[in-house]
Amino acid sequence: MASSTQEGTGTAYRQPVIDVAELRRLLDGRYAEVRDLVRTNLAEHAAVLEEAETLSQGEFRERVKDLLVTMAGTGQTGMGFPQEYGGGGDLGASIAAFETLAYGDLSVLVKVGVQFGLFGGAILMLGSKRHHDAYLAHLITGRLLGCFAMTESGHGSNVQALGTVATYDASTDEFVITTPDETSRKDYIGGAGQHAQVAVVFAQLEVHGEGHGVHAFVVPIRRDGSLLPGVRAEDDGLKMGLNGVDNGRLWFDGVRIPRNNLLNRFADVTDDGRYVSSIDNPDKRFFTMLGTLVQGRVCVGGAGINAAKVALTLAVRYAVRRRQFNATSQDEEELLLDYGLHQRRLFPLLAESYALHFAQEQLALKTHDVFSVRTADDEDETARRELESRAAGTKALGTWHATRTIQECREACGGAGYLAANRFTALKADTDVFTTFEGDNHVLLQLVAKGLLTNYASDFEDLDQLGMVRFVAGMALETVIERTAAHKLFEAIKDVLPGGDDEWDQEAGLLDPNYQLAMLRFREEHTLSGVARRLKRGIDEGLNPGEVFSRAQDHVIAAARAHVERLVLEAFVAKAADLPDGDLKVALNLLCDLHALSTIERDRAWFMEHGRLRASRSKAITREINDLCRRIRPLAVDLVDAYGVPPALLRSPDLLT
């Protein structure tokens, strides 16, 4: 990195100057025009931030719905749909637009996500031409509002165990949708409480008494605002946040729908009542179906990262305005951001936001590329599995980062940060559920670990948690370890570091990106191999596979997290390395160094336990982090301004004026 050239050379450090417009272009990337369109629309409707606090719940819901329809008219919400139905035909643009919406009111964001990402995405990705012709043009414009009815009161993460049943009635050529018990009611469904006219309902398909697993069905639930016969609905009531979204519960009492309402991209019931599918294995069919919906997970992670950017913009800008205590001068009090502790609180989070931004950028482009071709015969299944894993991990880290960052920034703004007008009230309340919806973060990291431990095996979809344990136990331990990407990368990078196999971690420069990457790759490989050993040992000792997994579950999560943190750092290092020499490269390298060393410092106990970090070097890392914070201090305002949060969306008169 550019900053590493200063270490041990005696060369005087020259403070870079950031061109904010240039940095914003870099951050906005391929879809800068799309992001600017969304920024303009958000600024035009910035009053919704105050309306969230002043309108009644019912009035605010109507306001959010109206904004959804208004934004649909600009084209920004339909960019991922085919052009022949009025969309933009560009999934990457759709993800960029959704991420940018997170700068504004998050009820609007989620309402848009439910309509166009979940409901519309299910029709697009799980349906066939007859469904596209019937629904896409109307839902893209907002004339047809829908919901995504997957989660039930008794089952959220375990979608395969849903209780709702769709029974084929050959005598009428219909499916009968039934909620058999209270745990099988659909719950927390955005749009179900009031606005949705149609639901995509996930239910267990039964044909002639034989179960075929979970499938998706288009089920009308309202006409002219009134519930249709056999459909019951109930509002979920006041929530911690996102109260502009009408979440609700749904029950189906023998609701009949035409046979053609089965979304039949992967399976169908023929007109003579036969169940047919191009994918014979039911588990593979199920996971293939869910895998097509991965862009929702991608979008939520990106939205969390962008919400954190809003918080950082507020906190950094407040800290260059607010003074407290006479520290270096008797004439005036010190700016908050000139205190080392304040820098320590905010700048590692700022650096992590940049790191996650570039990791999310890679993920979004990969999602666009993988789904640009929808012909199942030509799909690269391993690439899809890796995409699903990366989406799960990035979503987990991105949304946890949002929760942690918003809290720290609120505290860094003192009492002023507690006022609703300064946005932290809504940011905290509205983003909290991001760690839960589109997959509980801990469950998502288990998905990441499954892919790592099985190397995305051909029978990956067949493996539940217990199957994964048995799979790993049946392999030679060396095979599990040597097949991992981290092992191969770690072995390759050690060769370019001084000190050889034994001393590479002691002699390499702290600001050498190869050293930083080697540390994270070593941690990933060692943690993953430790998990494999524990699983294999448990089975060899005759323990129940479920108990083996439960005992090692914390280790599984640690391995997955280590893997995703390595991917995030690699994305940042790669982005900085690609830049031409100049001030922008120096500035990003400062952030990249800060992120890398902060990651190592945060887990320094692990590195010390495993012999990769001596006490003296650990202390040196802390000193280096403090020095990096001092170097970033003059750049901090420019670094947050480059996010491009429209001033009208910042509100916060007590923080910024």
Side-chain angles (χ1 to χ4, degrees):
M1 298 181 187
S3 56
S4 67
T5 62
Q6 311 302 322
E7 189 179 76
T9 65
T11 305
Y13 172 74
R14 184 182 66 81
Q15 187 69 37
V17 175
I18 292 178
D19 182 329
V20 174
E22 181 187 7
L23 180 52
R24 183 179 301 180
R25 285 192 295 272
L26 179 71
L27 292 173
D28 284 354
R30 180 191 298 180
Y31 296 107
E33 291 185 4
V34 171
R35 296 183 192 277
D36 279 339
L37 170 64
V38 178
R39 287 185 178 108
T40 299
N41 291 336
L42 286 173
E44 182 180 347
H45 301 289
V48 71
L49 295 169
E50 183 175 351
E51 291 165 345
E53 301 157 7
T54 58
L55 296 179
S56 69
Q57 184 186 59
E59 291 170 335
F60 184 50
R61 285 180 173 181
E62 291 303 311
R63 174 67 172 135
V64 168
K65 183 193 74 172
D66 291 344
L67 275 178
L68 178 147
V69 176
T70 298
M71 289 183 174
T74 70
Q76 74 177 57
T77 58
M79 293 177 178
F81 293 97
Q83 292 177 321
E84 57 264 38
Y85 298 104
D90 191 332
L91 179 58
S94 176
I95 294 171
F98 186 83
E99 291 171 351
T100 310
L101 270 177
Y103 287 161
D105 178 78
L106 296 177
S107 283
V108 175
L109 171 105
V110 172
K111 190 77 168 178
V112 166
V114 168
Q115 170 70 11
F116 304 102
L118 296 179
F119 171 62
I123 298 287
L124 175 64
M125 302 304 296
L126 301 182
S128 56
K129 188 176 187 302
R130 71 184 186 221
H131 304 108
H132 299 168
D133 291 345
Y135 301 110
L136 287 186
H138 299 295
L139 72 86
I140 289 171
T141 60
R143 292 194 301 270
L144 176 70
L145 297 181
C147 63
F148 183 84
M150 177 182 282
T151 298
E152 297 176 355
S153 298
H155 291 95
S157 299
N158 188 6
V159 177
Q160 274 185 294
L162 293 178
T164 304
V165 179
T167 305
Y168 178 63
D169 184 346
S171 66
T172 60
D173 200 28
E174 294 174 315
F175 293 109
V176 182
I177 311 297
T178 304
T179 304
D181 52 52
E182 283 301 295
T183 64
S184 300
R185 69 184 183 187
K186 298 299 180 181
D187 210 345
Y188 322 117
I189 309 301
Q194 186 174 352
H195 293 144
Q197 301 154 271
V198 176
V200 170
V201 176
F202 289 80
Q204 302 284 352
L205 172 60
E206 293 184 359
V207 180
H208 303 311
E210 182 179 355
H212 295 282
V214 172
H215 291 64
F217 303 83
V218 179
V219 183
I221 60 172
R222 287 187 179 88
R223 184 180 298 117
D224 299 327
S226 298
L227 290 170
L228 293 173
V231 179
R232 289 181 289 143
E234 178 179 282
D235 197 277
D236 274 321
L238 194 66
K239 306 183 296 290
M240 182 184 293
L242 299 175
N243 283 298
V245 182
D246 52 322
N247 295 84
R249 305 181 178 105
L250 292 171
W251 294 260
F252 301 97
D253 301 324
V255 175
R256 290 181 172 270
I257 58 172
R259 176 174 53 83
N260 284 346
N261 282 29
L262 167 65
L263 294 177
N264 64 337
R265 179 182 174 190
F266 298 111
D268 205 354
V269 175
T270 64
D271 54 8
D272 59 351
R274 290 181 299 109
Y275 178 81
V276 294
S277 175
S278 59
I279 305 173
D280 292 333
N281 185 300
D283 290 318
K284 184 176 182 180
R285 184 166 58 242
F286 170 76
F287 283 107
T288 300
M289 176 186 72
L290 288 191
T292 62
L293 305 176
V294 71
Q295 60 254 42
R297 197 164 282 166
V298 174
C299 287
V300 170
I305 295 164
N306 273 13
K309 293 176 188 176
V310 176
L312 284 162
T313 301
L314 294 170
V316 168
R317 285 198 148 275
Y318 180 67
V320 295
R321 170 185 167 277
R322 177 79 157 121
R323 295 181 180 274
Q324 201 69 249
F325 300 109
N326 297 92
T328 60
S329 170
Q330 293 301 313
D331 298 326
E332 64 178 353
E333 294 180 285
E334 197 86 355
L335 287 171
L336 291 182
L337 204 57
D338 288 334
Y339 285 103
L341 178 60
H342 214 75
Q343 295 170 11
R344 263 292 197 147
R345 294 172 67 185
L346 295 181
F347 292 171
L349 295 173
L350 176 62
E352 188 171 354
S353 289
Y354 268 79
L356 285 165
H357 174 95
F358 294 125
Q360 173 71 13
E361 179 181 62
Q362 284 188 354
L363 173 63
L365 293 176
K366 181 68 173 175
T367 304
H368 173 83
D369 292 343
V370 167
F371 285 99
S372 291
V373 180
R374 293 184 61 243
T375 54
D377 291 342
D378 299 327
E379 289 173 355
D380 182 341
E381 292 188 8
T382 299
R384 289 221 171 189
R385 293 179 193 128
E386 290 176 348
L387 174 66
E388 292 164 25
S389 175
R390 188 157 191 162
T394 306
K395 185 267 182 183
L397 264 60
T399 55
W400 272 329
H401 171 72
T403 297
R404 188 173 74 254
T405 299
I406 291 166
Q407 178 63 31
E408 191 64 55
C409 289
R410 203 296 299 159
E411 293 181 27
C413 292
Y418 199 64
L419 301 179
N422 295 332
R423 287 215 61 184
F424 285 108
T425 300
L427 283 171
K428 278 174 60 67
D430 290 346
T431 60
D432 198 73
V433 76
F434 283 23
T435 61
T436 301
F437 65 25
E438 283 298 318
D440 174 274
N441 284 354
H442 289 94
V443 175
L444 293 182
L445 288 184
Q446 290 177 188
L447 174 66
V448 174
K450 183 175 83 166
L452 295 174
L453 288 164
T454 63
N455 198 35
Y456 309 99
S458 59
D459 52 355
F460 178 80
E461 285 89 355
D462 299 346
L463 303 175
D464 57 13
Q465 294 167 353
L466 306 188
M468 178 187 72
V469 174
R470 296 187 182 99
F471 183 95
V472 174
M475 295 176 63
L477 188 60
E478 293 76 12
T479 303
V480 177
I481 297 168
E482 290 175 2
R483 290 197 325 187
T484 65
H487 174 78
K488 297 167 187 174
L489 291 167
F490 175 61
E491 290 300 314
I493 206 168
K494 278 196 307 182
D495 295 338
V496 302
L497 292 171
D501 285 350
D502 297 327
E503 297 293 330
W504 63 265
D505 54 338
Q506 305 303 326
E507 296 188 17
L510 295 179
L511 302 184
D512 183 342
N514 288 321
Y515 163 74
Q516 298 162 358
L517 289 170
M519 288 288 276
L520 295 202
R521 288 167 180 170
F522 170 81
R523 181 184 60 166
E524 178 186 345
E525 179 193 336
H526 197 287
T527 307
L528 192 61
S529 64
V531 171
R533 287 187 183 93
R534 287 182 68 182
L535 297 179
K536 188 171 181 63
R537 184 170 62 247
I539 293 297
D540 290 345
E541 292 173 355
L543 296 176
N544 178 277
E547 184 177 358
V548 172
F549 180 78
S550 181
R551 289 183 177 186
Q553 209 165 7
D554 59 330
H555 206 157
V556 168
I557 296 299
R561 184 159 193 150
H563 169 71
V564 183
E565 288 183 349
R566 187 259 296 176
L567 292 177
V568 170
L569 179 59
E570 284 181 345
F572 203 166
V573 170
K575 177 61 71 170
D578 284 345
L579 291 175
D581 290 340
D583 282 9
L584 184 57
K585 183 172 187 140
V586 173
L588 282 190
N589 278 329
L590 289 172
L591 282 177
C592 192
D593 286 334
L594 178 57
H595 171 66
L597 294 184
S598 296
T599 302
I600 295 170
E601 184 190 51
R602 187 167 60 238
D603 210 10
R604 72 169 106 194
W606 187 94
F607 288 106
M608 295 177 81
E609 286 175 352
H610 293 82
R612 286 302 176 191
L613 192 63
R614 295 174 182 168
S616 59
R617 197 165 177 86
S618 175
K619 293 176 182 178
I621 287 176
T622 296
R623 289 192 298 271
E624 193 65 59
I625 289 173
N626 290 336
D627 183 59
L628 287 166
C629 285
R630 286 189 290 272
R631 293 183 180 190
I632 289 169
R633 162 62 182 93
L635 310 174
V637 172
D638 289 341
L639 288 169
V640 295
D641 283 354
Y643 290 148
V645 182
L649 299 179
L650 292 175
R651 293 181 74 197
S652 308
D654 296 306
L655 299 182
L656 305 179
T657 58

